[in-house]
Amino acid sequence: MQTRVTVLDESRPLEPQLRHAADTLRRGGLVAFPTETVYGLGANALDRQAVLNIFAAKGRPADNPLIAHIASFEGLHRLTDEVDARAQKLAEAFWPGPLTMIFTRRAQVPAELSAGMDTVAVRMPSHPAARALISLAGVPVAAPSANLSGRPSPTCGRYVQEDLMGRVDEIVIDGDCAVGIESTVLSFSGPEPIILRPGAVTKEMLEQVIGPVRLHHAATENLKEGEKAASPGMKYKHYAPEAHVILVEGPGFAPFVRDKLNETTAAMCFLETANELPEGAPVFPYASRSDERSQGARIFTLLRDMDKRGFTKVYCEAPEKSGVGLAVYNRLVRAAGFEVIRL
């Protein structure tokens, strides 16, 4: 397959630049495009074959559900007939933005989109190009991250090209993603809303709007035997480079890794910890300890960079399991395949 690459020019109007990609989506093609979280691999969410083509292009297991993206509140009603009152409040507070909510799906929504479940995960991205593309296409757009399944999610167009050139019809490029980690996923299936995947819209932020919210155990642990993934990012090893990633929790990261670092073994850690390690050692800070937003924006870039630099083992300092730090922890523990050293 020949892949068309469209690099957006901020000095020109968006719509003419996105018209070809929108036509491709309407015809059932695959288009990678930027969002504020990570780049997504889009297809018409109401076209069963187009949805199946996403799984094939990514090498994604069929039991890992997708998220449908909409450009306006009106688009939600093409996907569900039931909107919980709490979901309405959250949509008013956080849409457009990095929050996905799970609803009962309409019959016209392909079961493959939701891995056979009777639900559909929906979000409204805030990235101008993403919303313009969805609006021009005139259909809800199913879109997991635009990478090969299991790899670190792409936060810039270059990574999308590395993984998907020749596998998709078009790649739309528009700089780096501001948030850098996938959206928070929230379900209303029980008596209390439950976070299935943490993200930049935190538990604390959600509770300010609707009261108590529960955190699914899979946010920090692997799914139990036979347990079904109700959201993307709950099952399988995810976000992983080729290098062997080990997550390290607790105080004392610097003295623990100091003698382990060499030409094949690196460390990813907080800026404050990096300052405790020898100058010139293979140490890659992903942000200050207090700067959760930057932590989220940098981890996938650094994970990909480990392979480019030839490292075969990476020790990662674990963030706090609160706020956006919880989302960063979730991505790192999955990149490590749940291999955690507790100091």
Side-chain angles (χ1 to χ4, degrees):
M1 178 186 295
Q2 187 169 2
T3 300
R4 175 189 175 112
V5 177
T6 300
V7 180
L8 298 181
D9 181 347
E10 63 180 18
S11 69
R12 296 172 52 210
L14 271 175
E15 290 195 4
Q17 299 181 76
L18 293 170
R19 200 158 283 133
H20 185 277
D23 289 343
T24 299
L25 287 172
R26 258 196 314 276
R27 293 196 308 267
L30 299 182
V31 176
F33 63 97
T35 81
E36 74 279 15
T37 57
V38 300
Y39 274 73
L41 175 56
N44 181 351
L46 303 179
D47 181 333
R48 177 179 177 272
Q49 186 56 56
V51 168
L52 290 173
N53 289 344
I54 289 179
F55 288 95
K58 281 176 60 74
R60 184 183 178 95
D63 61 350
N64 197 4
L66 308 180
I67 294 170
H69 294 65
I70 57 176
S72 66
F73 285 99
E74 290 71 26
L76 183 58
H77 301 296
R78 299 183 69 178
L79 299 165
T80 183
D81 293 318
E82 300 175 16
V83 179
D84 186 287
R86 296 164 297 180
Q88 183 67 40
K89 287 184 180 180
L90 291 172
E92 291 168 1
F94 299 113
W95 277 6
L99 174 65
T100 293
M101 292 184 282
I102 295 180
F103 305 92
T104 302
R105 65 178 170 87
R106 294 187 68 184
Q108 71 186 55
V109 178
E112 289 80 4
L113 182 75
S114 304
M117 294 177 288
D118 62 0
T119 55
V120 59
V122 186
R123 94 171 183 99
M124 186 192 301
S126 63
H127 194 290
R131 292 184 68 196
L133 176 62
I134 297 164
S135 182
L136 280 170
V139 293
V141 175
S145 54
N147 58 327
L148 293 176
S149 188
R151 295 274 294 147
S153 299
T155 53
C156 70
R158 181 176 76 256
Y159 300 148
V160 180
Q161 290 176 283
E162 287 176 3
D163 280 12
L164 297 182
M165 282 295 286
R167 290 173 170 264
V168 302
D169 296 290
E170 187 162 352
I171 297 172
V172 177
I173 297 175
D174 188 28
D176 295 348
C177 301
V179 175
I181 50 175
E182 298 85 352
S183 60
T184 304
V185 179
L186 188 70
S187 171
F188 299 95
S189 59
E192 278 185 343
I194 182 168
I195 296 172
L196 303 180
R197 180 179 71 187
V201 177
T202 66
K203 182 176 186 288
E204 296 82 0
M205 293 164 67
L206 295 168
E207 289 181 332
Q208 286 179 359
V209 178
I210 60 169
V213 172
R214 192 159 60 90
L215 183 68
H216 196 284
H217 72 87
T220 56
E221 306 167 9
N222 208 350
L223 283 177
K224 296 172 183 175
E225 186 69 30
E227 193 173 3
K228 194 173 182 66
S231 158
M234 292 182 72
K235 197 171 185 180
Y236 308 106
K237 183 177 178 179
H238 265 58
Y239 319 119
E242 295 297 325
H244 176 197
V245 175
I246 301 169
L247 189 61
V248 181
E249 288 188 33
F253 181 86
F256 173 77
V257 301
R258 183 175 285 113
D259 296 332
K260 296 177 174 60
L261 304 179
N262 53 46
E263 64 277 2
T264 61
T265 302
M268 282 173 51
C269 59
F270 296 121
L271 182 61
E272 295 85 348
T273 304
N275 292 333
E276 299 174 23
L277 290 164
E279 187 175 350
V283 178
F284 302 89
Y286 52 87
S288 169
R289 192 180 300 275
S290 61
D291 188 356
E292 293 181 341
R293 298 284 173 176
S294 294
Q295 292 170 26
R298 281 183 55 77
I299 57 166
F300 287 143
T301 298
L302 284 179
L303 286 171
R304 282 186 176 257
D305 201 33
M306 295 301 100
D307 290 340
K308 293 185 186 302
R309 293 174 180 269
F311 295 112
T312 58
K313 182 182 289 186
V314 183
Y315 290 97
C316 291
E317 183 177 18
E320 295 295 324
K321 299 177 196 174
S322 61
V324 179
L326 174 64
V328 177
Y329 181 94
N330 169 270
R331 283 17 175 225
L332 290 176
V333 78
R334 290 185 174 280
F338 299 94
E339 183 176 351
V340 180
I341 295 173
R342 294 178 173 86
L343 302 179

